[in-house]
Every structure is written in structure tokens, then in C-alpha cells.
Amino acid sequence: MLKEAVSRQPSVVSPTLSQIKARKRRKDLLWNTLSYTVLVVIGLILLYPFYWTLITSLETTGSIYEAKLLPKGVSLRNYVEVFQGTTVPFWRLIVNSLIICTLGVTLTVTLASLAAYPLAKMRFPGRDLIFYAILVLMVLPNEAGLIVNYITTIKLGLLQQTNPVLDAARQYAAVVLPGVASIVGLFLLRQAYLGVPIELIEAARIDGAKELTIWRRIMLPLALPTIVAFSILEFVAYWNSFLWARIMLPDKNLMPLSAGLLELSGTFSTNSRAVMAGAVITVLPILVIFAFGQRYFMKGIEGAVKG
Amino acid sequence: MTTTKGRESRRAQHVRGAQGARVTVRNTLVAYAFMLPFLILLVLYHTWPVFFGTYLAFTRYNIISPPEWVGLANFRTLAADSQFWAGLTNSLKYILVVPVIQLLSIAVAMLVNRPLRGIGLFRTAYYVPVVTSFAVVGLIWTWMYQQDGPVSAVLRFLGLEARGSLLNNPATALYAVMFVTLWKGIGYYMVLYLAGLQAIGRELEEAAVIDGATRWQVFVNVTLPGLRPTILVCSLLSTISAIKVFEEIYVMTQGGPAGSTYTALFFTYSRAFVDFQYGLAAAAGLIIAVISILFGFLNFKLTRGGKVDA
């Protein structure tokens, strides 16, 4: 706009138009160079620790914590070590994480997408009451959550030890269940459902479709972008969670990767490089998911804030 | 809840052919059936802890025998416990992170809001620390802080000499952990501020430029007021998480050295899961909850309720 204003009266201004343009171009170039420099510096500060961990995990010799730009030699020995050298096999931690994530994401997304349907598209007594009660819960601080949920888990008998298969199932459930009722997820999905035209649903109802069919055939497909965004958010959350699992799980064999990694750093004090290899393996799936789902991811976060 | 707005929108829906089928017993049952699994878990893991936790704060409880009502005894114990006060002090010190992280995030958001080539790549890269687990982030920074590690190298370059790890020094440990919180959090708030900036749009800023405003004037008079709702949300979120800081501490310092990173929530954690004094831990939790509510109100006041018009 500024440019237009200037170009309208070129003859009056003393410096010629080309001079002004050149000056503006120089100024832009300066600003852009400065911007890119700052962007790269911030990028280095935020990413170098990851890069440093990666290259250090590939080394086998040298002073371990030294700052560096390139690894001194590349070897996968630490990666082999992390799978072989511990009391709890590393692959077991990976399997645990995969089970916990699959179970957690499936349950969380299914329950939220079921519960959001009546709140968005049905009429029944108590609808507003339930909606506002959930709103209040979101705001209420819950510092006792960890303590009371631990007590609840014990009282539900989820930490009982009777036979190996049942124990494992119960302990996975104990890890997953406290996070399954996601209020944020309920909001995101309700917002998505609100956009579905009521005529579609009415038509299906007149045709005699059951509500469950309408949910599966109309609501779920139309809310798919939100469901994908929410699933990614939940995958990352379950994959990264470690505190609850560490507090609660008596069986180290059932720990997820993030929680087990801390166990490793305790037992592996002589070989930090192996723990670094473990850290790299722990981050990798998140980076892959993040790279592919980045757009959905940001959408999910913005949606979560706008409520 | 029969707010006017609710009633109106329901009438509007009725005119449009009713949002949802007629209210019948059957339809109501169907609706509740859809919500039942969610509601059961919600009550069990979200509602119940609020009430039972508050009750526990007034009891002595060790899981094995039933809770024993002790009135305000837990609070008196806490008031006389120097460790609790030390934890609370550190938690309040941690709030120092909030203004720093907010200012930096706004600056970074404005930087990545510029129409530069490849800017999407930077936005994505800046988000990587956010999606990484505290378990990993904590370990990485424990290594980074080691004596002769990359952080010492940077400090030496700046003419500062760090003896040993910053995490092992009681004078620096808390700030070293704070830096990690900052480092991990910037990308998160950046995304929120970016959304806020894009909601403001360029028209107002460009209009101000044409009226002869300097960059700084545009920022103070147009951008900042427009961001006020986002600033409220972000400062609220970061103040509350600063008071409740835990995972960074758990991974990196376990409250040490010499209690220098011992925060209020770490106190709660150790009373519950190390000493099995669940009642006392719940009381400490209740105090932290009340403090975060107070800071929530303070934030609300300071940002004038996040309203765009001053």
C-alpha cells in the first residue's frame, strides 16, 4: 500500500522512483537477512541438543559430553548395546509402548466421539447440565489427581498379581484408563459435529437408521479431519507419558519406553551413550508422526485452545 | 441450565426442524447410552479425585486402614514444615519463567509470522521440543549440562566458568531447570501467538503504517492490544504450569542439590509416594490448587479479562 501511494506521484518527490525502489529493496534485503539469521540461531538452540544426542549416540570413543558438530566415527554399537545390555529387554519396552498407545488412542478417540454426538446433535433432558459440568471440570485444578487415581487403581484391583496374562492386561489398563476420558477431545469433536448439517441426520432418521448407524456412517466420516488431529495428539501424549506409569507399575517389564528410559539411565550409568541411543529410538516415532501429521497437529492445538 | 441464549438457540433449532429427534424416554436413553462409558471414566478419574482429594486433606490415610479425620492437623503440620515452605518458595520463584517465556514466544511468533520463504520449516522445527517427552528432554539436558558438556563450552565462550554441572550447583540448579522449561515451551506458545497474530490480520497494522506510525508504535498500539486474549490464555497456562512444575525436576534433579530445586509439587509427590502419607500430601496439593486459582485470577486482572478493547 505504501508503494502504491508513492508511485502515484513520482514527479513531485525529489528522489526518483527507481531510487526509492532500490532503497526499499535494500531495506527488505537487510531485514530478511537479519530475520533468517535470527531464525537460524533460534533453530540451532532448539534443535542442537537433539542433534548432539544423535551424534554422540553413534560414537564409541572420545570424551562423551564434549560439544561437537560431527561424530568421531559412526557405529551402531550403542544401539546394539541398548537392546542387549539391560535386565529389561528394550524391545519389550517398545512393545509395551505400542500396546499402551494403541489401547489408549482407540479408547480415548472412540469414547470422546461417541459422547460428543448426543451433546452436539440430540435433545434430551440434562444436556446443558452435563455440558457445563464438564466445562467446570476442565477449569478445576486437580492436584490430588495423581494420589487419588493411584488409590483408585489399587482399590479397583488393577495391580493384583494372580497370573501373568491377566496381570499384564490389568496393568496396561491401569496405565491407560485415567487418561481415556478426554475433556479436550470431547470439545474438539463436539465442535466438529456441530458443523454437520442437521438435514443429513434427519433424512437418515426418517429412513429408519439407528443412532449408532448415523454416528458411524455420517458423523465419523464428516468429522474425520478432527478425529485424525485428535488421534495424533493422543498418540503423542500416550507415547510421551511416563510419570503415571513409573509411579504405578510394580512390574518393570510392563513399562512404556519413556518410563523405561529413565530406568535405563539408572542402571546404565557406565554407558551413557547406550542411553542416548535409547533416547533417539524413543524420539524417532514421535518425529515421524509429527512430520506427517504436522498440519493436523497444529489444527488440533488451535482447536483445543479456542475450545 | 436455561440461559436466554440456550433457550433461543434451542427455539431456533426447533424452527429449523429440531436439533435432534423429539425428546422421548427412548431417545433420552439412547443419548445417555452414547455418553455412558465416557461419563463413568470422567467421574472416576476426574470428578472423584477433586472431592476425595479434598476430603483426604483433612485425614490421616495410608491406604491400608480407612482414612481417619484429623481436621486441620495436616495444615498445621505443613505450616511448621520448613521443607514445605522451601518447596513453595521455589515454586513461586519458578513463576519468573512466565514473563520471559511469554515475551520470547511473542517475539518468535512475530518473526515466523513474516512472509518469508521456507518459514513453515522453521515453525515446524521450533515445535520439535514441544512434542518430545519430558523423560527424553530431561535426560538430554542432564547430559548437555555435564561438566565439559556443550553448555560449559558455551559458557566458556561467553567468558563464564562453570565448575561441574549447573545442575549440581545449588546456586544455579533451579535456573538450569527453568531454562529447560523455557526451551521446551517456546514452540508451544509460539503456535498459540501465531494463531492470535493471524486473527488480527495485516490490515490494521498496514493502516497504522500509512498513518505514519513507527514499527514500535504499531507493535504497542495495534499488535499487543489485539493479542490480549491470547496473552491471557498463554500467561494463565504458563503461570499455572510453573506453580505445578514437576516432571523436569523429577527427571533432572529429584529436588536436589541441597533442596535447591525442591518444589511444592515435588513435596506432595514425596509425601505420597515415598512416605505414604496420603492425607498430608493431599493437603499440600489442596494448597497448591488454591494458589494456582489465585494466580489465575491475578492473570485475569492483569490482562483486563483478555478483552481486546481497553
Side-chain angles (χ1 to χ4, degrees):
Chain A
M1 276 187 200
L2 193 60
K3 225 192 307 184
E4 283 168 31
V6 172
S7 60
R8 230 174 273 137
Q9 33 173 234
S11 54
V12 191
V13 199
S14 49
T16 63
L17 182 63
S18 63
Q19 273 176 320
I20 290 178
K21 272 190 173 164
R23 196 184 300 159
K24 185 168 165 23
R25 216 178 301 135
R26 268 200 305 276
K27 210 177 156 195
D28 278 355
L29 190 71
L30 191 74
W31 266 104
N32 287 353
T33 316
L34 196 70
S35 300
Y36 278 117
T37 314
V38 178
L39 283 168
V40 168
V41 170
I42 298 172
L44 279 177
I45 297 171
L46 292 180
L47 293 186
Y48 178 74
F50 292 100
Y51 174 73
W52 176 81
T53 307
L54 173 69
I55 56 178
T56 311
S57 75
L58 292 169
E59 290 178 343
T60 50
T61 54
S63 76
I64 179 163
Y65 297 119
E66 200 180 33
K68 56 193 157 274
L69 292 176
L70 287 170
K72 295 184 185 74
V74 172
S75 151
L76 290 179
R77 201 159 82 196
N78 300 311
Y79 286 80
V80 176
E81 180 86 351
V82 80
F83 278 95
Q84 289 177 345
T86 43
T87 45
V88 174
F90 198 69
W91 61 264
R92 183 62 202 264
L93 301 178
I94 296 176
V95 171
N96 290 337
S97 271
L98 288 175
I99 293 174
I100 287 168
C101 280
T102 312
L103 205 65
V105 173
T106 313
L107 282 175
T108 310
V109 176
T110 310
L111 260 51
S113 63
L114 272 173
Y117 177 43
L119 288 175
K121 293 287 174 196
M122 287 187 199
R123 290 177 60 214
F124 58 91
R127 182 176 83 167
D128 293 353
L129 185 72
I130 288 181
F131 189 68
Y132 287 113
I134 291 172
L135 249 176
V136 169
L137 260 187
M138 195 155 135
V139 184
L140 270 185
N142 180 17
E143 268 52 60
L146 220 51
I147 299 170
V148 178
N149 287 347
Y150 179 74
I151 296 168
T152 306
T153 306
I154 289 180
K155 297 283 179 199
L156 287 176
L158 291 173
L159 300 185
Q160 269 171 24
Q161 311 227 345
T162 47
N163 84 69
V165 179
L166 258 181
D167 291 352
R170 274 198 298 252
Q171 289 187 33
Y172 287 135
V175 174
V176 166
L177 283 179
V180 166
S182 162
I183 300 175
V184 170
L186 187 76
F187 272 101
L188 288 178
L189 282 156
R190 183 177 166 272
Q191 293 301 109
Y193 289 163
L194 284 178
V196 176
I198 191 77
E199 290 78 13
L200 262 177
I201 300 165
E202 288 300 318
R205 277 180 189 146
I206 290 164
D207 288 347
K210 291 211 168 64
E211 293 294 334
L212 204 61
T213 316
I214 297 174
W215 172 74
R216 203 160 47 88
R217 293 280 174 79
I218 298 175
M219 303 311 274
L220 284 191
L222 288 176
L224 198 61
T226 307
I227 289 177
V228 173
F230 180 48
S231 304
I232 294 172
L233 280 173
E234 284 300 309
F235 179 86
V236 173
Y238 278 107
W239 186 269
N240 282 343
S241 72
F242 69 96
L243 190 64
W244 172 244
R246 278 184 72 83
I247 285 175
M248 197 202 49
L249 284 183
D251 191 346
K252 304 277 178 270
N253 278 308
L254 293 169
M255 276 196 177
L257 202 48
S258 282
L261 194 66
L262 291 178
E263 203 67 28
L264 274 186
S265 80
T267 56
F268 244 139
S269 52
T270 49
N271 188 0
S272 290
R273 285 191 218 274
V275 186
M276 289 180 185
V280 172
I281 296 171
T282 309
V283 181
L284 228 50
I286 289 299
L287 291 188
V288 172
I289 293 264
F290 175 57
F292 283 110
Q294 186 243 115
R295 268 169 208 287
Y296 285 113
F297 208 81
M298 299 290 176
K299 184 176 172 275
I301 289 163
E302 285 166 19
V305 170
K306 286 169 191 160
Chain B
M1 295 266 163
T2 49
T3 55
T4 356
K5 208 178 153 209
R7 214 182 296 138
E8 265 169 19
S9 66
R10 229 172 298 149
R11 199 184 305 133
Q13 287 155 6
H14 196 75
V15 173
R16 275 193 3 240
Q19 180 89 336
R22 236 155 25 89
V23 179
T24 60
V25 175
R26 215 194 99 83
N27 287 342
T28 305
L29 286 179
V30 171
Y32 277 95
F34 267 90
M35 297 185 297
L36 195 63
F38 185 95
L39 289 180
I40 289 174
L41 288 176
L42 187 80
V43 168
L44 188 63
Y45 288 109
H46 294 266
T47 318
W48 172 242
V50 175
F51 292 104
F52 191 59
T54 309
Y55 164 69
L56 276 187
F58 299 93
T59 66
R60 193 175 295 130
Y61 186 47
N62 59 4
I63 291 194
I64 299 153
S65 38
E68 177 197 340
W69 185 266
V70 292
L72 293 173
N74 287 328
F75 296 93
R76 276 194 290 272
T77 310
L78 289 176
D81 191 332
S82 61
Q83 244 190 338
F84 177 69
W85 285 107
L88 211 54
T89 312
N90 281 333
S91 286
L92 293 178
K93 264 194 215 167
Y94 220 90
I95 295 178
L96 275 176
V97 166
V98 176
V100 182
I101 201 169
Q102 297 310 315
L103 287 176
L104 285 176
S105 310
I106 292 175
V108 175
M110 289 185 63
L111 191 65
V112 297
N113 194 32
R114 298 197 63 202
L116 294 169
R117 196 170 298 162
I119 199 72
L121 200 65
F122 287 100
R123 287 181 194 163
T124 310
Y126 293 178
Y127 208 74
V128 170
V130 182
V131 289
T132 314
S133 164
F134 267 115
V136 172
V137 161
L139 280 177
I140 288 183
W141 278 96
T142 311
W143 298 320
M144 293 278 295
Y145 277 130
Q146 290 289 331
Q147 181 162 25
D148 301 325
V151 174
S152 312
V154 171
L155 287 179
R156 259 199 312 278
F157 180 77
L158 295 173
L160 299 161
E161 192 64 53
R163 289 207 187 87
S165 165
L166 292 181
L167 292 173
N168 290 336
N169 183 345
T172 55
L174 190 68
Y175 300 99
V177 179
M178 278 179 178
F179 179 78
V180 177
T181 305
L182 188 73
W183 175 86
K184 193 181 191 297
I186 277 188
Y188 180 72
Y189 295 108
M190 171 201 79
V191 169
L192 300 185
Y193 281 118
L194 193 61
L197 285 174
Q198 284 170 356
I200 298 176
R202 295 202 177 277
E203 294 77 14
L204 263 177
E205 294 182 357
E206 278 168 3
V209 169
I210 288 173
D211 288 347
T214 62
R215 270 171 200 273
W216 180 249
Q217 284 171 330
V218 171
F219 175 71
V220 171
N221 296 314
V222 180
T223 316
L224 220 47
L227 276 183
R228 202 173 283 149
T230 321
I231 295 175
L232 171 66
V233 172
C234 292
S235 61
L236 204 66
L237 286 175
S238 73
T239 310
I240 290 173
S241 50
I243 296 170
K244 296 177 186 174
V245 61
F246 183 73
E247 287 171 312
E248 297 95 313
I249 303 216
Y250 177 85
V251 180
M252 287 192 283
T253 61
Q254 294 277 319
S260 59
T261 60
Y262 199 85
T263 59
L265 212 58
F266 204 82
F267 176 92
T268 306
Y269 164 84
S270 21
R271 284 302 172 272
F273 300 108
V274 182
D275 307 334
F276 311 112
Q277 297 177 297
Y278 296 99
L280 191 66
L286 196 59
I287 292 176
I288 300 169
V290 170
I291 291 177
S292 15
I293 292 175
L294 289 179
F295 271 93
F297 272 121
L298 188 67
N299 260 304
F300 207 74
K301 283 280 168 212
L302 284 178
T303 51
R304 294 176 225 171
K307 287 200 189 72
V308 179
D309 300 310

